[in-house]
Amino acid sequence: MRGRWCLGGVTKTPYTSSGASAVVVDVKGHQWNWEISAPAIAVGQLVEIRVTGADVNHGFGLYDANARLIAQTQAMPRYTNVIRHTFTAPGTYRVLCLEYCGLGHHTMFGQLVVTERGGAQ
Amino acid sequence: MSAPARVLDSGAQFSATPVTDTPARGLLALYVGITAIVLALLMVFGLLMRASQAGFVSIPPNRFYQLLTAHGIGMVAIAGLGGAAVMWYFLSRYVSLSRGILLANLAFFLLGVVLVLGSIFIGGFAAGWTFLFPLPAQSLGTWGAGAAATYLVGVLLVGVGFLLLFLDTTRAIIGKYGSLGKALGWPQAFGNSTAEPPPPTVVASTVASIINIPAIAVGAVILTITLVKALSP
């Protein structure tokens, strides 16, 4: 709602709620790993990814199997950024850090697994 | 009947006095010489990082990120130093600038560079040139508070030098033209003045001074907050 207010009533953005119930994924960036809750995610399901940082600023970058960036936001301490996304293909999606966060920055890998409707990957 | 349009082209003539006094020319030559040397060094740092990514050389992560930090902050700072020399050279043809301030800026710059390089390659500081808060103060033990503080003070000193320089250019410009608006040619652009507008060098230098003074001041506030965080986390 706040996002909609800030954008002056623009509704077709990734920041507005569709009204549908979403699967919530909690993501917390640490020096130097991702803490990601792992609910079952299926293709076509609205997913709400809540991203925050435990210590310093990190960058949550979500990549598909072709190493193409499909979503990103800052992982900031004491603040939660929300991404709403609907996956269109099953598979293992990699999470990399996009904000330099110290000497282990390049070792921050995580993943989200998305299955076909009904459970098969 | 409307007034004829004012046309300014590259052939416009302005009264300009070449920089002829030897001390200022020597100082400016020093500025340019240091800029060239540091630029070459930082290009080597950049090549080393690229060679590491390509697998041609093996650089451990801590050293890689030290190079990353030095390359980034160095390129920003040296672009500022070289740019300041160019601006001073041309602006001094139109207004009376202080050679003492020009020297002070170089001294602050060199002192800052020594502290920054020491903090990186001796202290192990590697928070990137952006030193994004609160990373300098939270390295997970990979560099100490002393290294972070040395880096931040070094950058602060570089900023102090540039602040002095741009305060001096602002002083000299206002002294000659009366106000920043007049130095920007606003009476000619937006008013009815038919007087000769300031030369492009003065307009550009005025814009640079107006932007740089508050930008440096804001940078100093961020550096100070980060410094306090580093020393008392």
Side-chain angles (χ1 to χ4, degrees), chain B residues 77 105 108-110 112-113 116 153-163:
Chain B
N105 178 44
F108 274 111
F109 184 90
L110 293 176
V113 165
V116 166
V153 169
V155 177
L156 207 49
L157 287 178
V158 172
V160 167
F162 280 120
L163 185 59

Side-chain angles (χ1 to χ4, degrees), chain A residues 6-69:
Chain A
C6 292
L7 291 166
V10 178
T11 55
K12 298 215 179 282
T13 75
Y15 308 106
T16 55
S17 171
S18 67
S21 62
V23 175
V24 174
V25 177
D26 289 305
V27 176
K28 187 179 275 189
H30 296 261
Q31 286 173 310
W32 292 286
N33 65 284
W34 292 107
E35 180 187 343
I36 303 175
S37 67
I41 303 171
V43 168
Q45 208 168 24
L46 179 66
V47 180
E48 183 171 295
I49 307 171
R50 299 174 183 171
V51 182
T52 188
D55 32 47
V56 298
N57 288 281
H58 302 273
F60 174 83
L62 187 62
Y63 292 80
D64 68 12
N66 298 315
R68 192 172 51 199
L69 184 65

Side-chain angles (χ1 to χ4, degrees), chain B:
Chain B
M1 186 174 169
S2 61
R6 177 180 296 279
V7 178
L8 286 179
D9 58 27
S10 58
Q13 296 297 307
F14 302 102
S15 59
T17 310
V19 180
T20 51
D21 63 302
T22 310
R25 288 181 74 92
L27 255 178
L28 290 172
L30 201 55
Y31 265 68
V32 174
I34 290 171
T35 299
I37 293 167
V38 174
L39 204 57
L41 179 71
L42 296 175
M43 287 169 75
V44 170
F45 285 3
L47 283 172
L48 278 173
M49 285 189 286
R50 286 301 190 195
S52 170
Q53 288 175 322
F56 296 153
V57 296
S58 177
I59 299 175
N62 60 333
R63 188 63 80 187
F64 182 94
Y65 289 129
Q66 288 166 14
L67 289 171
L68 182 88
T69 303
H71 177 81
I73 193 73
M75 281 296 187
V76 172
I78 208 62
L81 193 76
V86 172
M87 177 174 151
W88 204 98
Y89 176 79
F90 287 107
L91 183 61
S92 65
R93 294 172 172 225
Y94 303 100
V95 301
S96 179
L97 296 170
S98 163
R99 283 193 303 275
I101 295 289
L102 186 67
L103 179 62
N105 178 44
L106 188 63
F108 274 111
F109 184 90
L110 293 176
L111 186 58
V113 165
V114 168
L115 292 181
V116 166
L117 289 178
S119 74
I120 293 172
F121 294 112
I122 298 172
F125 182 80
W129 78 269
T130 49
F131 51 90
L132 189 59
F133 186 89
L135 181 57
Q138 289 181 232
S139 70
L140 216 62
T142 52
W143 62 78
T150 305
Y151 176 91
L152 296 166
V153 169
V155 177
L156 207 49
L157 287 178
V158 172
V160 167
F162 280 120
L163 185 59
L164 289 175
L165 190 80
F166 290 114
L167 285 173
D168 184 53
T169 58
T170 304
R171 171 203 61 75
I173 288 169
I174 291 175
K176 172 88 175 275
Y177 293 93
S179 72
L180 293 174
K182 288 177 182 170
L184 290 169
W186 284 0
Q188 289 83 4
F190 305 119
N192 297 320
S193 174
T194 54
E196 189 67 28
T201 296
V202 171
V203 175
S205 299
T206 305
V207 172
S209 302
I210 290 171
I211 292 170
N212 286 345
I213 290 172
I216 293 169
V218 170
V221 170
I222 294 168
L223 283 163
T224 305
I225 291 170
T226 312
L227 187 60
V228 169
K229 173 80 173 169
L231 294 177
S232 55

